[in-house]
Amino acid sequence: MTQKRFYLSTTDKKIGGVCGGLAEYFDIDPLLVRIAFLFLIFCVGGGLMLYLILWLLAPKQSQI
């Protein structure tokens, strides 16, 4: 059994691949993740910091 891990997406990315990677990890549409991040950025205020932290700390997806 393979363990599921979060990676930055190299194929579905607009800026850093965070939303695409989260969408692949949770098996949902990337547009929903992007909308959720926009909501967090504009309404809650912590979305940008969360995005930057994930972008810096998450490994990139290998091109195998």
Side-chain angles (χ1 to χ4, degrees):
M1 183 174 167
T2 61
Q3 187 172 353
K4 196 175 194 182
R5 293 199 53 197
F6 166 66
Y7 294 102
L8 296 176
S9 177
T10 56
T11 57
D12 185 18
K13 69 180 198 174
K14 300 293 182 196
I15 299 175
V18 174
C19 293
L22 285 172
E24 289 173 14
Y25 181 79
F26 290 113
D27 196 28
I28 58 175
D29 187 6
L31 181 62
L32 295 174
V33 179
R34 290 182 179 107
I35 290 171
F37 265 103
L38 286 174
F39 176 79
L40 289 173
I41 290 170
F42 291 113
C43 296
V44 179
L48 184 60
M49 185 62 75
L50 177 63
Y51 188 92
L52 292 174
I53 290 170
L54 288 172
W55 192 7
L56 291 172
L57 297 180
K60 291 184 179 177
Q61 190 177 32
S62 63
Q63 294 281 33
I64 297 175

